[in-house]
DNA sequence: CAGCTTGCTGCAATCGTTTTCCCAAAACAG
DNA sequence: CTGTTTTGGGAAAACGATTGCAGCAAGCTG
């Protein structure tokens, strides 16, 4: 191989690698020389087709000269290193010589090379994928949760696969199947309900899981315990303090564990406040707008219409609000309403909704953290792990004194 | 290989495959014999570890006896066929003998085998993945769109990768990068704004794209043209018919193409109705609740407060509604409000929002269809393709006669 | 200066599929 | 019974990366 005269500038003690690097560095200053030298070095000339095109349109070609097959091999050839070195460079393995690394990065950037995740995952056995199973994407609570989860995941180099089950077991099983096919490394089951049999598929394959409220007691499982009672007690106390005694509750679907927990927390809190919870004042909703409205209908049919309604989630509360509006009852003058979740839109309902906050961000963070620990250092954990998520009452304007009492105060 | 005595039941003219099949069929009746025969056939006995476990716990073992490495190879060995046959069976290639197929399916089901999508995608070059780029997942419009898109995609064997850009170019470029890494076969850019430079990465790699409203004029690009004017004209006519003349418009972000289109449609419609659009009555929002409220603030500061406000989307309208509530103005008695999108929650605002419907389902269907055609039969299309999406006014209760006029009619 | 250590780099095996090509057996024709 | 076509399954080469291992060069030691 003829050595260009320019290499005489190198220090006398240069290593062979240094010589090569310098040779390369110089060569990059001129595309023509670059490719000529590469030709001499690699003894391959099929890729010289590209440089010709590049020379004819010297200005704005960076976008066009991508060889049809851009893989780690091509990069290796262009940077004049082995594919192993390219791989190591991309993965920032510390043993690669910075000079080589620079050379590789230059080529990678020049050709906008993007490694193929599938190939990577296949050989490394790490898909860097987490599944996120939610019940319905159209409930604003979940998009906010997804947002948080995705942000954190991306920040840590993970991708997420979201699937909405719509409470349909068949759909759920499809979702799980798809996650299995994509080889997710963990799944956050944020459906607020435990569909044990369906999740067997995951458990069998020892996929780390994180649940809300309840989960099977085995290794690789984390549970996010939401402190429903704290927020709900605050809400009941708030109502009781205002003078409410006839307080109704619109629950979520009976099959949903979290809905039952919320209801239980409500009953307990009522007793704590010295009010006997009346089963007739508990209407079953389904965590949707329509369900909330329908449940309110039932409550309105009671001989003594409740002066306050606590709802299992905000969508339900908004449905209740709407039903009250339709009925001509004013909130909070005639009926007080409290929601649960504190979705963003609760701030702008008419009137703004008093609700119990449960931080989507906290939830997402805890879920991701749990999964990540299980995946990246499973040896540090044994058996099931639990995390606590707080809830807090946010007082807005949908709560006030009960109708008929303290009228003088109402007008302010 | 010793042939079990039971094969004497076979018809005299049986093919070799039949003999094998029968042998296998008989063998499956008894797990012990099954594995013994398999052992004789395959001459490998390492996988016999599993059957032993199975024998000791005969009842509920189906869940536990999955060998640690479940791949197509294992299935092939257990079904006593080649991996090629397993692959063909899974992909329902018609040339496989139904008997073999049955045998393979039995094993697959027995062990809950799930093929590895990554390996599949790698070798076939088909990731069966579409990207869905949206602007903000917290705007309920998008979840509804995602839902539709995902449903259709899954139905056709595709998966989707959703990314929310939050209008941030940096985020957007990350999103695109991630999609590239996962080798998406197409991307639906539902951001309602064209960020040309960022999408270069995709265009360069000839990834089929589908845009809303506007898109570069090149092959592989489809555009969903939304007929803003139809719905918006209906809205303006509706207001004009009610007697409104002082009609304001709260636009979306100035940088967003779709927002400009909506504004243009508004101006045009106003002129058509013989009302001169007044620039002072056009406030810029940003398609969020807060933006809507802020814009309404500006409109309230006008010497002559508009009697009707048309909004660029429903979130804006809800923000406007809230601001009006705060100000003490009644809707529609003092001010009429119209939104755009017809998100689900618009039905239950106080009062229910009159809005312009744009079908998420139509949008999703068209977007997916466009992408699919590009991917699966690119030869049938040349250059850019366009699809029309209709819009229609949905009259609810946030619109009424302008204040001060026809009072006698208002009370009904 | 021989011999050992250390630091990098390249070779090659591997991941779990799909798919092409080829060949054996069955079916059919004469 | 022989020759030809049809049928269907198996062997092996991809796909695009990662990674253990081997080996070469330079630095260090005595």
């Amino acid at each position: 191989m003829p050595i260009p005269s320019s290499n005489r500038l190198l220090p006398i003690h240069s290593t062979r690698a240094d010589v090569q690097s310098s040779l390369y560095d110089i060569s990059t200053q001129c595309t023509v020389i670059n490719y000529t030298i590469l030709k001499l070095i690699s003894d391959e000339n099929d890729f010289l087709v590209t440089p010709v095109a590049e020379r004819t349109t010297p200005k704005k070609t960076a976008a066009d000269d991508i060889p049809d097959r851009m893989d780690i091999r091509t990069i290796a050839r262009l940077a004049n290193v082995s594919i192993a070195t390219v791989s190591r460079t991309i993965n920032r393995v510390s043993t690669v010589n910075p000079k080589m690394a620079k050379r590789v990065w230059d080529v990678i950037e020049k050709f906008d090379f993007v490694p193929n995740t599938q190939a990577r995952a296949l050989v490394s056995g790490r898909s860097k994928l987490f599944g996120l199973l939610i019940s319905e994407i159209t409930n604003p609570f979940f998009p906010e949760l997804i947002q948080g989860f995705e942000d954190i995941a991306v920040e840590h180099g993970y991708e997420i696969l979201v699937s909405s089950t719509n409470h349909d077991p068949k759909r759920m099983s499809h979702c799980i199947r798809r996650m299995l096919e994509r080889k997710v490394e963990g799944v956050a089951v944020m459906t607020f309900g435990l569909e044990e049999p369906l999740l067997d598929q995951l458990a069998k394959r020892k996929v780390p899981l994180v649940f809300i409220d309840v989960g099977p007691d085995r290794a690789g499982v984390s549970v996010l315990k939401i402190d429903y009672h704290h927020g709900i007690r605050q809400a009941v106390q708030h109502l009781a303090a205002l003078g409410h005694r006839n307080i109704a509750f619109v629950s979520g679907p009976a099959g949903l564990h979290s809905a039952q927990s919320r209801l239980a927390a409500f009953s307990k809190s009522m007793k704590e406040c010295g009010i006997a919870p009346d089963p007739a004042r508990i209407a079953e909703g389904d965590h949707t707008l329509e369900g909330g409205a329908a449940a309110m209908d039932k409550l309105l049919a009671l001989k003594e219409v409740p002066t306050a309604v606590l709802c299992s989630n905000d969508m339900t509360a908004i449905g209740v609000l709407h039903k009250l509006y339709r009925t001509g009852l004013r909130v909070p003058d005639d009926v007080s309403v409290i929601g649960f979740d504190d979705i963003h839109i609760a701030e702008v309902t008419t009137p703004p909704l008093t609700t119990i906050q449960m931080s989507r961000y906290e939830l997402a963070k805890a879920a991701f953290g749990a999964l990540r620990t299980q995946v990246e250092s499973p040896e540090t954990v044994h058996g099931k792990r639990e995390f606590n998520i707080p809830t807090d009452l946010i007082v807005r304007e949908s709560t006030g004194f009960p109708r008929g009492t303290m009228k003088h105060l109402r007008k302010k």
Side-chain angles (χ1 to χ4, degrees), chain A:
Chain A
M1 190 185 85
I3 296 176
S5 56
S6 41
N7 80 334
R8 74 176 104 92
L9 295 171
L10 287 173
I12 200 80
H13 291 306
S14 306
T15 65
R16 197 192 58 163
D18 282 341
V19 175
Q20 281 192 357
S21 284
S22 297
L23 189 58
Y24 185 90
D25 293 345
I26 293 165
S27 73
T28 52
Q29 292 164 15
C30 170
T31 312
V32 181
I33 295 180
N34 171 5
Y35 283 102
T36 310
I37 292 176
L38 279 179
K39 180 185 174 187
L40 295 172
I41 292 172
S42 69
D43 241 358
E44 288 187 276
N45 54 6
D46 54 83
F47 66 92
L48 279 177
V49 177
T50 312
V52 170
E54 194 174 6
R55 225 182 320 163
T56 54
T57 49
K59 281 287 186 291
K60 213 194 131 308
T61 53
D64 311 323
D65 59 359
I66 297 184
D68 13 338
R69 285 236 318 256
M70 262 325 266
D71 54 7
I72 206 178
R73 218 175 336 265
T74 313
I75 299 294
R77 206 173 45 193
L78 293 177
N80 197 30
V81 295
S82 75
I83 57 171
T85 304
V86 177
S87 171
R88 279 189 281 253
T89 304
I90 291 172
N91 293 295
R92 309 203 125 84
V93 172
S94 60
T95 62
V96 298
N97 186 320
K99 240 169 198 159
M100 289 254 171
K102 170 85 167 64
R103 214 157 89 192
V104 173
W105 280 122
D106 283 351
V107 178
I108 288 177
E109 266 157 41
K110 179 164 180 190
F111 293 91
D112 277 326
F113 169 68
V114 175
N116 183 331
T117 311
Q118 295 155 345
R120 262 204 227 230
L122 183 58
V123 60
S124 69
R126 300 284 322 269
S127 65
K128 291 290 214 164
L129 244 188
F130 279 152
L132 180 57
L133 212 51
I134 60 174
S135 34
E136 34 175 2
I137 199 171
T138 49
N139 176 341
F141 174 82
F142 291 105
E144 295 173 21
L145 181 68
I146 296 173
Q147 174 99 286
F149 197 83
E150 176 165 17
D151 285 355
I152 302 172
V154 167
E155 197 182 309
H156 290 86
Y158 282 80
E159 208 81 39
I160 65 169
L161 196 59
V162 185
S163 270
S164 167
T165 69
N166 291 10
H167 301 291
D168 174 1
K170 202 153 69 214
R171 257 187 96 110
M172 174 136 178
S173 105
H174 275 131
C175 294
I176 291 174
R177 160 94 192 195
R178 275 153 45 211
M179 291 187 175
L180 248 23
E181 287 181 350
R182 298 260 168 207
K183 288 274 174 295
V184 293
E185 296 184 40
V187 177
V189 186
M190 306 276 113
T191 53
F192 287 88
L194 182 63
E195 286 90 346
E196 179 90 54
L198 293 169
L199 296 162
D200 259 13
Q201 295 276 327
L202 292 166
K204 241 192 296 186
R205 291 176 170 75
K206 312 210 193 317
V207 178
L209 299 174
V210 45
F211 292 88
I212 284 182
D213 296 339
V214 287
D217 197 349
R218 59 168 108 81
V221 169
S222 306
V223 175
L224 271 30
K225 292 270 180 194
I226 298 174
D227 185 1
Y228 296 113
H229 187 240
H230 187 255
I232 289 179
R233 184 182 46 208
Q234 287 182 336
V236 173
Q237 283 175 348
H238 168 64
L239 291 174
L242 286 168
H244 291 274
R245 289 298 174 271
N246 184 348
I247 304 175
F249 187 81
V250 178
S251 75
L256 213 58
H257 187 276
S258 77
Q260 293 313 304
S261 302
R262 293 173 199 204
L263 175 55
F266 169 73
S267 301
K268 184 172 171 200
S269 302
M270 287 286 275
K271 280 179 207 133
E272 283 170 1
C273 290
I275 310 174
D278 176 358
R281 290 181 190 140
I282 293 172
E284 185 180 333
D286 60 359
H287 282 179
T288 67
L289 297 171
E290 290 75 14
M296 192 63 224
D297 252 342
K298 280 184 226 139
L299 295 176
L300 287 170
L302 294 177
K303 48 204 152 300
E304 207 179 351
V305 174
T307 62
V309 180
L310 194 57
C311 303
S312 189
N313 79 343
D314 281 349
M315 290 302 268
T316 302
I318 294 174
V320 165
L321 242 35
H322 180 244
K323 177 57 69 181
L324 290 169
Y325 166 80
R326 274 268 168 278
T327 315
L329 291 171
R330 291 155 306 164
V331 176
D333 296 355
D334 296 316
V335 180
S336 290
V337 177
I338 297 185
F340 193 108
D341 281 348
D342 191 27
I343 58 179
H344 186 206
I345 215 161
E347 283 180 47
V348 297
T349 52
T350 309
L353 190 66
T354 293
T355 186
I356 298 160
Q357 178 187 57
M358 162 166 61
S359 165
R360 259 80 65 208
Y361 181 75
E362 286 293 326
L363 215 51
K365 206 172 88 171
F368 178 81
L371 250 27
R372 191 160 111 106
T373 314
Q374 294 285 3
V375 170
E376 299 185 358
S377 40
E379 71 285 355
T380 62
V381 299
H382 313 289
K384 167 161 122 172
R385 296 187 310 151
E386 300 192 348
F387 299 82
N388 289 313
I389 306 288
T391 62
D392 268 295
L393 183 70
I394 307 283
V395 179
R396 297 212 178 88
E397 300 158 39
S398 65
T399 45
F401 300 109
R403 64 177 171 276
T405 62
M406 309 196 237
K407 275 209 160 104
H408 57 288
L409 284 172
R410 273 229 310 274
K411 284 275 162 163
K412 264 182 281 199

